[in-house]
Each structure stands twice: as structure tokens, then as C-alpha cells.
Amino acid sequence: WWAAMSAARILYVVLDGLGDRPVPALADRTPLEAAATPHLDRLAAAGQQGLVTTVGEGLAPESDVAVMAILGYDPRRYHAGRGPLEAVGVGLPFRDGDLALRGNFATGGAGRRIVDRRVGRTLTSEEARALADALTAQLRLEAAPARVVVAASIGYRCAVVFYPEDGRLSAQVSNTDPAYARVGGLGVALSTFTDDVAVCRPLDDSAEAAAAAALVNEFTEKSRAILDAHPVNVRRQAEGKLPANLILLRDAGDHLPRVPSMTERFGLRWGCFVEMPVERGIARFLGMSVVEVPHRAGAPRADVYRAWAERALDVLPAHDALYLHLKGPDEPGHDGDAEGKRRVIEEIDAHFFGTLAPRLDLTATLVAVTADHATPCALRGHAADPVPLLLAGAGVAPDGAGRFTERAAARGALGRLSGVEIVPLLVGRRTVGR
């Protein structure tokens, strides 16, 4: 009786950008359909599937917006802005009235032309840190009394925070990154955009927004000269690599709203096992314990996925629920590399799920696998497409939908859900034998 009624632990795995569309080069299959995924398929055979619209119909969400939604927080109500979450994720101080933005180191050409939005994905975290530290040390802004701090995170990614000397700055400003826009205050990916750095403009008539826009534009102009002359970029160009001589900014935020923690909302001790600073910031924002991720620069992905699975198995007993966010499939989606995306999915299945699944007690663990958004290779960006959801273990009856794929998920017993419904569903089903 006790075994039948005891509460299961929740293992909630999100594969960033997993969803896709049929690709001619993969015989009109999606990368997930084309991938060999025996471990995920065994979970699917024992579980149920469904489709999830993570944020809203017709919205191609940015990751911060989507992750908030799939953790059960409607971003229209609890939106914090990606900038502050990135800042918190990299450990920068942030208080109401400061202005934080997500940044991409990029390669700029003549004028405002963008040559590559991510420096060819070849910028190392160490190179980015040296560039960021130089900008923090050397930049002096005159558009308004404020100092700026640039903090590199992983690869080409960074956070930029403007600290006003008095008063406050407003986040009601547009992006300089032309690939993203703000719709109703939420960050969304654009399917078409120009390859030119956008001018930051105030979105209301306040003096705080005007000052913020002026600072962002001055930062964009002055940082270019410092980056062009930096030894890291001189060396990169001598080696035939793209220089990281530009920073594209987006998703400004000027405060962190008060939110109930995950424990307050759902009554469980949540751990967050994440790779990227924005998810780390969300974990801190929502009161989840942050599980440090094993990271070895240059290590084969297979080794990394196995190490992550071992770490997840180690820390799961200390939590009621563990949220894991793996970046893998998103990057080849952005690069339009369908074969690369298929290969990454296979590596995650073989080395992460292959290490994890055989050692999980599925009578006492509820496993969910989904995505925060789709990143179709044909679009090279985020899409509004629904993403597959798999639920297995802890008494979940199989629905016979088939392998874990987008098309099988459309046939599954879970039906169609919105992102904010996933965590309540998991919490409601975590009693073993239900």
C-alpha cells in the first residue's frame, strides 16, 4: 500500500530547440524522426505523448519566455525580461532601475553591416571574457551618467548592465539585434530580418527610456573601436578567423518582479540542472536550487552527456523534482544543419539517456521530456510550432503512440497542452500508481 501511494520524484528534461519540420535531405523526416533514439523510444513505448504550444499560438518565443512558461509561470504575468535573468545568471548585481540586456558577440562589417551574428561559433569563452573585461575597464559613456559592465558567459554570449549614477533607467527600448523583437513585452524571434545593426529607440516618451536608448547606442558605437583593436581580435584575424568586434543587444529589463517560488507554487523541492546563464538566472529567480553542471572545455560531447547523466542520478534523491535543460539541438537548428541536429539528438539519446534511463526506478520516478520551443533548420531560428512531450514512469499507462517524434506526439493520449500546464500535470501525476 505504501509503495502504491508514495510520491514519485519528477525528472523533467528539456531539449532546447528540439522541435523541427520535415527536411527533404532527411527523406522528409524531422531530425528527431531521422535520429536513432532507442532509449527515448523505450520510454515512449512505456508512456504517453502529446504536443505543447509553449507560450502562445503564433508566438516564436525566446528561451527565457518559453522556459518561464514550461515551468508553470505565464510570462505575460511574471515576465522578468531576459536581460536581468542573464545578469543574475552570470552573478552580476542587479537592482530595480538598473538596465540589463542580453548580448551576442558578433562580427561587424562596413558601417552597420552584420557579417555573422555569432562569430562563426568559434569564439571561446576565454576570448569572450578578455573582450568583456576590456570593455568594462575602458568604456566611458557620456550620453547619461552611468557605468557599464560586460560579463561574458559561454561562447559568444554575454550580459551587459548599465548602472545609473542616480535615478533609474527604463527598459522601454528596442533591440539593436535585428533578429529579435518585443511583442507585448515578450521577446520573440523574427523569421525575417535585415543584416544591419538596429538603432535602439525609446518605446515611450519618458526621460528614462530616452537615456537608456542613448546609452545603448553609445555603447554599440564605442565598443566597436575597442573590440577592433583588442589583441584577441588581432590574433583571430591573423589566424583567418572572424573577429568578435560587435555586440548585439536585446531584451532589456529594468527590474525583477516579485514571484512565488517553485516551492510555494507547487509544494516541492526543485533543483535546476542547467548549462546556460539565462536558465541559471531563472532558477535563482524562482527559488530553485542550482545544481552545478560538470563542464570540461573541449571534452567530447559524449563524455559531457555521460557526466551530466551521472550528476543527475547523484542529485535526484536530494530533490522532489529536478529540471534539466540541455542546449544541444538548438544550435544546429540555428545553423540550418539538419544532419548535425540529428547527430546531436542521437548523442543525447545514446550517452545521456543511455546512461540515465537504465538506472532509473520508473516505478518511483516520473520522467518528462520536451522542448522549450522548436528551432526548425529551414528557418534557422525559433518558430511557433508545437513541440513534442513525453511522459513515462510512475504508473503512466502506455498510449501506443509510437516512437518519440513530433508526429507520434500528435497522436498521443496527452493531447494538446500549453506550456504552463506541464508542471501542474507532473505534480498531479507524481503519486506512484495513479
Side-chain angles (χ1 to χ4, degrees):
W1 176 85
W2 175 251
M5 293 303 295
S6 61
R9 299 190 192 281
I10 295 171
L11 185 64
Y12 186 10
V13 183
V14 171
L15 306 181
D16 200 308
L18 177 68
D20 214 300
R21 299 173 182 176
V23 178
L26 298 177
D28 286 325
R29 296 172 296 174
T30 69
L32 179 58
E33 289 174 327
T37 54
H39 302 287
L40 280 168
D41 293 344
R42 273 194 286 276
L43 286 174
Q48 299 177 4
Q49 297 185 60
L51 283 177
V52 178
T53 299
T54 59
V55 176
E57 296 292 341
L59 281 177
E62 286 206 58
S63 292
D64 63 307
V65 175
V67 170
M68 288 292 291
I70 63 175
L71 286 174
Y73 292 78
D74 186 342
R76 295 168 186 83
R77 179 179 179 187
Y78 295 109
H79 187 245
R82 183 159 187 167
L85 294 172
E86 295 271 359
V88 170
V90 297
L92 288 179
F94 181 83
R95 63 181 184 181
D96 285 3
D98 295 338
L99 183 73
L101 301 98
R102 157 66 188 265
N104 272 20
F105 281 101
T107 302
R112 304 186 72 83
R113 192 72 174 164
I114 301 168
V115 175
D116 192 291
R117 296 188 62 259
R118 301 177 181 87
V119 203
R121 295 196 190 276
T122 62
L123 188 69
T124 67
S125 298
E126 291 72 23
E127 288 175 323
R129 198 168 309 122
L131 295 171
D133 290 348
L135 290 175
T136 299
Q138 297 176 39
L139 266 176
R140 297 295 179 267
L141 302 176
E142 301 170 0
R147 66 183 181 93
V148 64
V149 173
V150 183
S153 55
I154 296 176
Y156 58 84
R157 304 165 184 87
C158 65
V160 177
V161 183
F162 296 88
Y163 297 101
E165 292 181 8
D166 53 66
R168 58 181 296 130
L169 295 168
S170 170
Q172 291 301 307
V173 295
S174 63
N175 300 334
T176 65
D177 188 334
Y180 296 90
R182 301 177 72 180
V183 175
L186 302 181
V188 299
L190 300 175
S191 56
T192 59
F193 51 89
T194 66
D195 286 325
D196 296 299
V197 181
V199 174
C200 181
R201 303 189 187 280
L203 300 178
D204 63 26
D205 295 330
S206 69
E208 292 83 1
L215 285 167
V216 168
N217 289 325
E218 185 182 12
F219 171 87
T220 301
E221 179 183 348
K222 288 186 173 179
S223 62
R224 175 73 186 260
I226 294 170
L227 293 172
D228 269 327
H230 196 280
V232 163
N233 282 324
V234 173
R235 183 178 66 251
R236 286 181 62 85
Q237 289 189 289
E239 295 171 351
K241 298 176 182 175
L242 293 171
N245 60 358
L246 176 66
I247 293 183
L248 301 173
L249 296 175
R250 68 183 195 261
D251 303 324
D254 57 24
H255 71 287
L256 286 170
R258 286 184 172 83
V259 297
S261 71
M262 291 286 283
T263 299
E264 291 168 334
R265 286 284 308 278
F266 303 111
L268 306 178
R269 294 169 300 156
W270 282 82
C272 192
F273 182 113
V274 296
E275 205 180 339
M276 293 294 161
V278 67
E279 285 88 28
R280 180 182 293 259
I282 289 171
R284 290 173 174 159
F285 179 50
L286 299 182
M288 305 164 78
S289 65
V290 176
V291 176
E292 294 303 325
V293 178
H295 181 72
R296 287 175 290 165
R301 281 193 308 226
D303 293 349
V304 171
Y305 289 139
R306 283 194 291 269
W308 288 355
E310 294 283 356
R311 179 73 170 143
L313 288 164
D314 287 344
V315 302
L316 181 59
H319 300 87
D320 298 316
L322 187 62
Y323 173 85
L324 295 93
H325 192 114
L326 306 187
K327 184 69 174 172
D330 188 57
E331 292 190 349
H334 278 289
D335 294 339
D337 181 2
E339 177 57 31
K341 188 169 181 178
R342 179 197 64 77
R343 192 163 54 247
V344 166
I345 293 168
E346 289 188 345
E347 290 173 343
I348 290 172
D349 183 82
H351 305 293
F352 179 78
F353 286 103
T355 302
L356 186 81
R359 293 162 60 185
L360 282 177
D361 178 1
L362 289 180
T363 67
T365 310
L366 184 62
V367 180
V369 184
T370 190
D372 51 349
H373 53 76
T375 307
C377 295
L379 294 184
R380 295 175 174 254
H382 299 184
D385 303 14
V387 297
L389 169 66
L390 165 62
L391 197 61
V396 176
D399 63 4
R403 296 183 60 229
F404 180 51
T405 67
E406 295 89 347
R407 277 183 263 226
R411 302 189 294 267
L414 297 177
R416 292 291 294 261
L417 300 92
S418 62
V420 295
E421 293 177 303
I422 297 176
V423 170
L425 173 68
L426 299 180
V427 172
R429 289 208 181 191
R430 68 186 288 263
T431 300
V432 177
R434 177 169 295 189

